[in-house]
mmCIF file of all heavy atoms in Angstrom:
data_model
loop_
_atom_site.group_PDB
_atom_site.id
_atom_site.type_symbol
_atom_site.label_atom_id
_atom_site.label_comp_id
_atom_site.label_asym_id
_atom_site.label_seq_id
_atom_site.Cartn_x
_atom_site.Cartn_y
_atom_site.Cartn_z
ATOM 1 N N PRO A 23 0.807 -1.222 0.000
ATOM 2 C CA PRO A 23 0.000 0.000 0.000
ATOM 3 C C PRO A 23 0.841 1.272 0.000
ATOM 4 O O PRO A 23 0.385 2.334 -0.433
ATOM 5 C CB PRO A 23 -0.821 -0.130 1.285
ATOM 6 C CG PRO A 23 -0.942 -1.599 1.508
ATOM 7 C CD PRO A 23 0.384 -2.158 1.064
ATOM 8 N N ALA A 24 2.086 1.191 0.458
ATOM 9 C CA ALA A 24 2.944 2.382 0.522
ATOM 10 C C ALA A 24 3.573 2.723 -0.817
ATOM 11 O O ALA A 24 4.002 3.858 -1.028
ATOM 12 C CB ALA A 24 4.045 2.179 1.563
ATOM 13 N N GLY A 25 3.656 1.769 -1.752
ATOM 14 C CA GLY A 25 4.294 2.076 -3.021
ATOM 15 C C GLY A 25 4.582 0.834 -3.843
ATOM 16 O O GLY A 25 4.342 -0.302 -3.418
ATOM 17 N N LYS A 26 5.149 1.069 -5.014
ATOM 18 C CA LYS A 26 5.386 0.015 -5.990
ATOM 19 C C LYS A 26 6.780 -0.587 -5.812
ATOM 20 O O LYS A 26 7.765 0.130 -5.634
ATOM 21 C CB LYS A 26 5.245 0.586 -7.399
ATOM 22 C CG LYS A 26 5.363 -0.448 -8.498
ATOM 23 C CD LYS A 26 5.009 0.143 -9.847
ATOM 24 C CE LYS A 26 5.126 -0.910 -10.933
ATOM 25 N NZ LYS A 26 4.722 -0.409 -12.251
ATOM 26 N N ASN A 27 6.841 -1.916 -5.863
ATOM 27 C CA ASN A 27 8.120 -2.646 -5.836
ATOM 28 C C ASN A 27 8.962 -2.352 -4.597
ATOM 29 O O ASN A 27 10.193 -2.420 -4.648
ATOM 30 C CB ASN A 27 8.947 -2.334 -7.090
ATOM 31 C CG ASN A 27 8.304 -2.838 -8.360
ATOM 32 O OD1 ASN A 27 7.555 -3.806 -8.336
ATOM 33 N ND2 ASN A 27 8.572 -2.175 -9.460
ATOM 34 N N LEU A 28 8.308 -2.040 -3.472
ATOM 35 C CA LEU A 28 9.070 -1.752 -2.254
ATOM 36 C C LEU A 28 9.551 -3.020 -1.566
ATOM 37 O O LEU A 28 10.415 -2.971 -0.700
ATOM 38 C CB LEU A 28 8.227 -0.906 -1.284
ATOM 39 C CG LEU A 28 7.887 0.512 -1.775
ATOM 40 C CD1 LEU A 28 7.074 1.249 -0.727
ATOM 41 C CD2 LEU A 28 9.143 1.285 -2.129
ATOM 42 N N VAL A 29 8.993 -4.166 -1.944
ATOM 43 C CA VAL A 29 9.453 -5.457 -1.431
ATOM 44 C C VAL A 29 9.941 -6.262 -2.634
ATOM 45 O O VAL A 29 9.203 -6.467 -3.599
ATOM 46 C CB VAL A 29 8.337 -6.225 -0.709
ATOM 47 C CG1 VAL A 29 8.834 -7.595 -0.264
ATOM 48 C CG2 VAL A 29 7.821 -5.428 0.478
ATOM 49 N N GLY A 30 11.193 -6.697 -2.596
ATOM 50 C CA GLY A 30 11.706 -7.430 -3.742
ATOM 51 C C GLY A 30 13.097 -7.951 -3.491
ATOM 52 O O GLY A 30 13.623 -7.894 -2.375
ATOM 53 N N ALA A 31 13.716 -8.471 -4.537
ATOM 54 C CA ALA A 31 15.059 -9.040 -4.445
ATOM 55 C C ALA A 31 15.687 -9.000 -5.831
ATOM 56 O O ALA A 31 14.987 -8.839 -6.842
ATOM 57 C CB ALA A 31 14.993 -10.488 -3.941
ATOM 58 N N PHE A 32 17.006 -9.147 -5.890
ATOM 59 C CA PHE A 32 17.718 -9.284 -7.145
ATOM 60 C C PHE A 32 17.934 -10.772 -7.406
ATOM 61 O O PHE A 32 18.559 -11.457 -6.600
ATOM 62 C CB PHE A 32 19.061 -8.555 -7.089
ATOM 63 C CG PHE A 32 18.928 -7.059 -6.995
ATOM 64 C CD1 PHE A 32 19.014 -6.418 -5.776
ATOM 65 C CD2 PHE A 32 18.718 -6.297 -8.138
ATOM 66 C CE1 PHE A 32 18.890 -5.042 -5.684
ATOM 67 C CE2 PHE A 32 18.589 -4.920 -8.054
ATOM 68 C CZ PHE A 32 18.672 -4.283 -6.823
ATOM 69 N N HIS A 33 17.419 -11.254 -8.524
ATOM 70 C CA HIS A 33 17.475 -12.691 -8.807
ATOM 71 C C HIS A 33 17.476 -12.883 -10.324
ATOM 72 O O HIS A 33 16.409 -12.977 -10.945
ATOM 73 C CB HIS A 33 16.282 -13.396 -8.166
ATOM 74 C CG HIS A 33 16.363 -14.890 -8.194
ATOM 75 N ND1 HIS A 33 17.327 -15.603 -7.515
ATOM 76 C CD2 HIS A 33 15.592 -15.821 -8.836
ATOM 77 C CE1 HIS A 33 17.148 -16.900 -7.715
ATOM 78 N NE2 HIS A 33 16.102 -17.055 -8.520
ATOM 79 N N PRO A 34 18.653 -12.948 -10.960
ATOM 80 C CA PRO A 34 18.703 -13.081 -12.418
ATOM 81 C C PRO A 34 18.045 -14.371 -12.898
ATOM 82 O O PRO A 34 18.159 -15.420 -12.258
ATOM 83 C CB PRO A 34 20.211 -13.097 -12.716
ATOM 84 C CG PRO A 34 20.840 -12.436 -11.538
ATOM 85 C CD PRO A 34 19.988 -12.820 -10.366
ATOM 86 N N PRO A 35 17.366 -14.315 -14.036
ATOM 87 C CA PRO A 35 16.751 -15.525 -14.580
ATOM 88 C C PRO A 35 17.788 -16.438 -15.221
ATOM 89 O O PRO A 35 18.932 -16.043 -15.471
ATOM 90 C CB PRO A 35 15.793 -14.967 -15.645
ATOM 91 C CG PRO A 35 16.462 -13.701 -16.099
ATOM 92 C CD PRO A 35 17.117 -13.129 -14.871
ATOM 93 N N ALA A 36 17.373 -17.662 -15.491
ATOM 94 C CA ALA A 36 18.222 -18.594 -16.229
ATOM 95 C C ALA A 36 18.150 -18.323 -17.724
ATOM 96 O O ALA A 36 19.079 -18.653 -18.469
ATOM 97 C CB ALA A 36 17.800 -20.029 -15.935
ATOM 98 N N ALA A 37 17.047 -17.722 -18.178
ATOM 99 C CA ALA A 37 16.877 -17.368 -19.589
ATOM 100 C C ALA A 37 15.651 -16.480 -19.722
ATOM 101 O O ALA A 37 14.762 -16.494 -18.858
ATOM 102 C CB ALA A 37 16.730 -18.610 -20.460
ATOM 103 N N VAL A 38 15.612 -15.715 -20.806
ATOM 104 C CA VAL A 38 14.436 -14.930 -21.177
ATOM 105 C C VAL A 38 14.128 -15.254 -22.632
ATOM 106 O O VAL A 38 15.005 -15.156 -23.501
ATOM 107 C CB VAL A 38 14.685 -13.417 -21.006
ATOM 108 C CG1 VAL A 38 13.461 -12.623 -21.470
ATOM 109 C CG2 VAL A 38 15.027 -13.074 -19.561
ATOM 110 N N LEU A 39 12.887 -15.648 -22.901
ATOM 111 C CA LEU A 39 12.479 -16.070 -24.238
ATOM 112 C C LEU A 39 11.250 -15.288 -24.666
ATOM 113 O O LEU A 39 10.250 -15.241 -23.936
ATOM 114 C CB LEU A 39 12.148 -17.567 -24.250
ATOM 115 C CG LEU A 39 13.149 -18.518 -23.573
ATOM 116 C CD1 LEU A 39 12.605 -19.942 -23.578
ATOM 117 C CD2 LEU A 39 14.492 -18.460 -24.279
ATOM 118 N N CYS A 40 11.312 -14.675 -25.844
ATOM 119 C CA CYS A 40 10.162 -13.901 -26.333
ATOM 120 C C CYS A 40 9.957 -14.153 -27.821
ATOM 121 O O CYS A 40 10.879 -13.967 -28.626
ATOM 122 C CB CYS A 40 10.382 -12.406 -26.091
ATOM 123 S SG CYS A 40 9.024 -11.367 -26.714
ATOM 124 N N ASP A 41 8.774 -14.582 -28.174
ATOM 125 C CA ASP A 41 8.375 -14.729 -29.573
ATOM 126 C C ASP A 41 7.683 -13.427 -29.987
ATOM 127 O O ASP A 41 6.679 -13.042 -29.373
ATOM 128 C CB ASP A 41 7.418 -15.909 -29.726
ATOM 129 C CG ASP A 41 7.146 -16.251 -31.183
ATOM 130 O OD1 ASP A 41 7.065 -15.327 -32.012
ATOM 131 O OD2 ASP A 41 7.002 -17.452 -31.493
ATOM 132 N N PRO A 42 8.175 -12.723 -31.008
ATOM 133 C CA PRO A 42 7.541 -11.457 -31.407
ATOM 134 C C PRO A 42 6.056 -11.593 -31.723
ATOM 135 O O PRO A 42 5.310 -10.611 -31.600
ATOM 136 C CB PRO A 42 8.343 -11.047 -32.652
ATOM 137 C CG PRO A 42 9.668 -11.722 -32.494
ATOM 138 C CD PRO A 42 9.376 -13.026 -31.806
ATOM 139 N N ALA A 43 5.617 -12.778 -32.098
ATOM 140 C CA ALA A 43 4.195 -12.973 -32.404
ATOM 141 C C ALA A 43 3.331 -12.719 -31.177
ATOM 142 O O ALA A 43 2.166 -12.313 -31.310
ATOM 143 C CB ALA A 43 3.958 -14.388 -32.933
ATOM 144 N N TRP A 44 3.867 -12.971 -29.981
ATOM 145 C CA TRP A 44 3.092 -12.722 -28.765
ATOM 146 C C TRP A 44 2.721 -11.250 -28.643
ATOM 147 O O TRP A 44 1.668 -10.904 -28.115
ATOM 148 C CB TRP A 44 3.875 -13.168 -27.528
ATOM 149 C CG TRP A 44 4.215 -14.611 -27.494
ATOM 150 C CD1 TRP A 44 3.600 -15.623 -28.179
ATOM 151 C CD2 TRP A 44 5.282 -15.228 -26.760
ATOM 152 N NE1 TRP A 44 4.204 -16.822 -27.903
ATOM 153 C CE2 TRP A 44 5.245 -16.625 -27.039
ATOM 154 C CE3 TRP A 44 6.250 -14.749 -25.890
ATOM 155 C CZ2 TRP A 44 6.141 -17.526 -26.475
ATOM 156 C CZ3 TRP A 44 7.156 -15.645 -25.325
ATOM 157 C CH2 TRP A 44 7.104 -17.014 -25.615
ATOM 158 N N LEU A 45 3.588 -10.379 -29.120
ATOM 159 C CA LEU A 45 3.347 -8.944 -28.971
ATOM 160 C C LEU A 45 2.210 -8.462 -29.867
ATOM 161 O O LEU A 45 1.574 -7.446 -29.576
ATOM 162 C CB LEU A 45 4.625 -8.153 -29.267
ATOM 163 C CG LEU A 45 5.875 -8.565 -28.483
ATOM 164 C CD1 LEU A 45 7.036 -7.647 -28.840
ATOM 165 C CD2 LEU A 45 5.624 -8.538 -26.987
ATOM 166 N N THR A 46 1.962 -9.176 -30.964
ATOM 167 C CA THR A 46 0.905 -8.748 -31.882
ATOM 168 C C THR A 46 -0.479 -8.966 -31.302
ATOM 169 O O THR A 46 -1.456 -8.429 -31.833
ATOM 170 C CB THR A 46 1.012 -9.491 -33.225
ATOM 171 O OG1 THR A 46 0.758 -10.887 -33.024
ATOM 172 C CG2 THR A 46 2.379 -9.297 -33.852
ATOM 173 N N THR A 47 -0.583 -9.749 -30.236
ATOM 174 C CA THR A 47 -1.889 -10.001 -29.623
ATOM 175 C C THR A 47 -2.191 -9.034 -28.488
ATOM 176 O O THR A 47 -3.251 -9.114 -27.868
ATOM 177 C CB THR A 47 -1.951 -11.441 -29.082
ATOM 178 O OG1 THR A 47 -1.002 -11.595 -28.013
ATOM 179 C CG2 THR A 47 -1.626 -12.445 -30.178
ATOM 180 N N MET A 48 -1.266 -8.111 -28.211
ATOM 181 C CA MET A 48 -1.479 -7.154 -27.128
ATOM 182 C C MET A 48 -2.492 -6.086 -27.529
ATOM 183 O O MET A 48 -2.542 -5.683 -28.699
ATOM 184 C CB MET A 48 -0.168 -6.443 -26.768
ATOM 185 C CG MET A 48 0.909 -7.297 -26.174
ATOM 186 S SD MET A 48 2.357 -6.272 -25.789
ATOM 187 C CE MET A 48 1.652 -5.167 -24.534
ATOM 188 N N PRO A 49 -3.275 -5.560 -26.589
ATOM 189 C CA PRO A 49 -4.057 -4.361 -26.872
ATOM 190 C C PRO A 49 -3.106 -3.234 -27.295
ATOM 191 O O PRO A 49 -2.043 -3.052 -26.683
ATOM 192 C CB PRO A 49 -4.729 -4.047 -25.535
ATOM 193 C CG PRO A 49 -4.752 -5.350 -24.806
ATOM 194 C CD PRO A 49 -3.504 -6.061 -25.216
ATOM 195 N N PRO A 50 -3.435 -2.495 -28.347
ATOM 196 C CA PRO A 50 -2.518 -1.472 -28.854
ATOM 197 C C PRO A 50 -2.042 -0.481 -27.787
ATOM 198 O O PRO A 50 -0.863 -0.101 -27.773
ATOM 199 C CB PRO A 50 -3.341 -0.773 -29.937
ATOM 200 C CG PRO A 50 -4.277 -1.831 -30.421
ATOM 201 C CD PRO A 50 -4.628 -2.636 -29.207
ATOM 202 N N ALA A 51 -2.938 -0.060 -26.887
ATOM 203 C CA ALA A 51 -2.542 0.907 -25.867
ATOM 204 C C ALA A 51 -1.499 0.329 -24.919
ATOM 205 O O ALA A 51 -0.587 1.037 -24.467
ATOM 206 C CB ALA A 51 -3.758 1.376 -25.081
ATOM 207 N N ASP A 52 -1.607 -0.961 -24.612
ATOM 208 C CA ASP A 52 -0.617 -1.607 -23.740
ATOM 209 C C ASP A 52 0.723 -1.733 -24.450
ATOM 210 O O ASP A 52 1.784 -1.546 -23.840
ATOM 211 C CB ASP A 52 -1.106 -2.985 -23.311
ATOM 212 C CG ASP A 52 -2.291 -2.925 -22.355
ATOM 213 O OD1 ASP A 52 -2.496 -1.868 -21.729
ATOM 214 O OD2 ASP A 52 -3.013 -3.932 -22.240
ATOM 215 N N TYR A 53 0.681 -2.071 -25.735
ATOM 216 C CA TYR A 53 1.927 -2.186 -26.497
ATOM 217 C C TYR A 53 2.657 -0.844 -26.547
ATOM 218 O O TYR A 53 3.862 -0.761 -26.289
ATOM 219 C CB TYR A 53 1.615 -2.679 -27.907
ATOM 220 C CG TYR A 53 2.836 -2.734 -28.788
ATOM 221 C CD1 TYR A 53 3.700 -3.813 -28.737
ATOM 222 C CD2 TYR A 53 3.137 -1.679 -29.647
ATOM 223 C CE1 TYR A 53 4.834 -3.854 -29.528
ATOM 224 C CE2 TYR A 53 4.266 -1.711 -30.442
ATOM 225 C CZ TYR A 53 5.105 -2.798 -30.374
ATOM 226 O OH TYR A 53 6.241 -2.821 -31.140
ATOM 227 N N VAL A 54 1.924 0.207 -26.871
ATOM 228 C CA VAL A 54 2.527 1.541 -26.958
ATOM 229 C C VAL A 54 3.086 1.961 -25.604
ATOM 230 O O VAL A 54 4.172 2.559 -25.519
ATOM 231 C CB VAL A 54 1.495 2.564 -27.475
ATOM 232 C CG1 VAL A 54 1.989 3.994 -27.276
ATOM 233 C CG2 VAL A 54 1.210 2.309 -28.954
ATOM 234 N N SER A 55 2.382 1.649 -24.547
ATOM 235 C CA SER A 55 2.869 1.992 -23.212
ATOM 236 C C SER A 55 4.247 1.378 -22.958
ATOM 237 O O SER A 55 5.145 2.023 -22.415
ATOM 238 C CB SER A 55 1.871 1.517 -22.148
ATOM 239 O OG SER A 55 2.336 1.812 -20.850
ATOM 240 N N GLY A 56 4.429 0.131 -23.390
ATOM 241 C CA GLY A 56 5.721 -0.515 -23.201
ATOM 242 C C GLY A 56 6.848 0.157 -23.963
ATOM 243 O O GLY A 56 8.024 0.068 -23.573
ATOM 244 N N LEU A 57 6.516 0.848 -25.040
ATOM 245 C CA LEU A 57 7.541 1.539 -25.814
ATOM 246 C C LEU A 57 8.216 2.658 -25.023
ATOM 247 O O LEU A 57 9.314 3.098 -25.388
ATOM 248 C CB LEU A 57 6.940 2.115 -27.101
ATOM 249 C CG LEU A 57 6.602 1.117 -28.201
ATOM 250 C CD1 LEU A 57 5.859 1.817 -29.327
ATOM 251 C CD2 LEU A 57 7.859 0.436 -28.742
ATOM 252 N N ALA A 58 7.586 3.129 -23.956
ATOM 253 C CA ALA A 58 8.219 4.173 -23.140
ATOM 254 C C ALA A 58 9.567 3.705 -22.605
ATOM 255 O O ALA A 58 10.531 4.485 -22.527
ATOM 256 C CB ALA A 58 7.300 4.583 -21.992
ATOM 257 N N GLU A 59 9.669 2.423 -22.238
ATOM 258 C CA GLU A 59 10.938 1.905 -21.733
ATOM 259 C C GLU A 59 11.985 1.808 -22.843
ATOM 260 O O GLU A 59 13.187 1.924 -22.586
ATOM 261 C CB GLU A 59 10.733 0.540 -21.075
ATOM 262 C CG GLU A 59 9.900 0.579 -19.797
ATOM 263 C CD GLU A 59 10.660 1.152 -18.602
ATOM 264 O OE1 GLU A 59 11.857 1.439 -18.728
ATOM 265 O OE2 GLU A 59 10.027 1.309 -17.540
ATOM 266 N N VAL A 60 11.547 1.606 -24.070
ATOM 267 C CA VAL A 60 12.462 1.615 -25.210
ATOM 268 C C VAL A 60 12.993 3.028 -25.434
ATOM 269 O O VAL A 60 14.201 3.242 -25.614
ATOM 270 C CB VAL A 60 11.754 1.091 -26.475
ATOM 271 C CG1 VAL A 60 12.687 1.146 -27.678
ATOM 272 C CG2 VAL A 60 11.245 -0.334 -26.258
#
């Protein structure tokens, strides 16, 4: 309730896998929102 991500840890994954086709099924507004990090 006090804020975002205030409880967490650093834990690298063993791998990250992304098929670009998954992104085409996103609602357009959500996809564009993610572009802010780009």
